Amino acid sequence: MDDLLKFIHARNEADNHAYAEVAYRFGGEAILGSHLPMLDLISMLAQAYEAMEPAEPRFDGTTYTLRVLAQSYDEHADYREEWRP
């Protein structure tokens, strides 16, 4: 799961940089307003997961959620099939 969290953090960081480049070139209006907050929420979920104990009731659901979210990057070279929910 550590590798999945690193993957999610790396993809979110790359997406943030890509959107910053789009905003720089085309202006802030070119960015979908909902995408950047969503990246922040995914990062917050990954950070909350890292702080959770496996015995916590939310642990299994959060694990599943992170695996589902990672599927949006399934065409990325670093994505692993074992991460599918």
Side-chain angles (χ1 to χ4, degrees):
M1 199 60 189
D2 287 341
D3 289 339
L4 176 60
L5 291 171
K6 288 177 187 173
F7 177 79
I8 288 173
H9 285 304
R11 300 291 55 80
N12 280 353
E13 185 176 320
D15 282 352
N16 277 319
H17 287 296
Y19 277 90
E21 181 65 24
V22 169
Y24 174 74
R25 288 184 183 196
F26 303 107
E29 300 81 34
I31 297 176
L32 293 175
S34 63
H35 192 77
L36 293 176
M38 183 59 69
L39 291 175
D40 289 342
L41 291 171
I42 292 169
S43 289
M44 288 172 52
L45 181 65
Q47 290 170 357
Y49 177 86
E50 290 170 326
M52 278 184 202
E53 295 294 325
E56 189 167 332
R58 302 177 302 154
F59 188 80
D60 289 338
T62 305
T63 300
Y64 179 79
T65 302
L66 289 169
R67 289 174 183 259
V68 168
L69 291 169
Q71 280 185 286
S72 61
Y73 299 103
D74 68 350
E75 293 184 10
H76 190 278
D78 294 334
Y79 181 82
R80 298 181 191 170
E81 197 62 32
E82 67 205 44
W83 293 335
R84 279 198 193 282

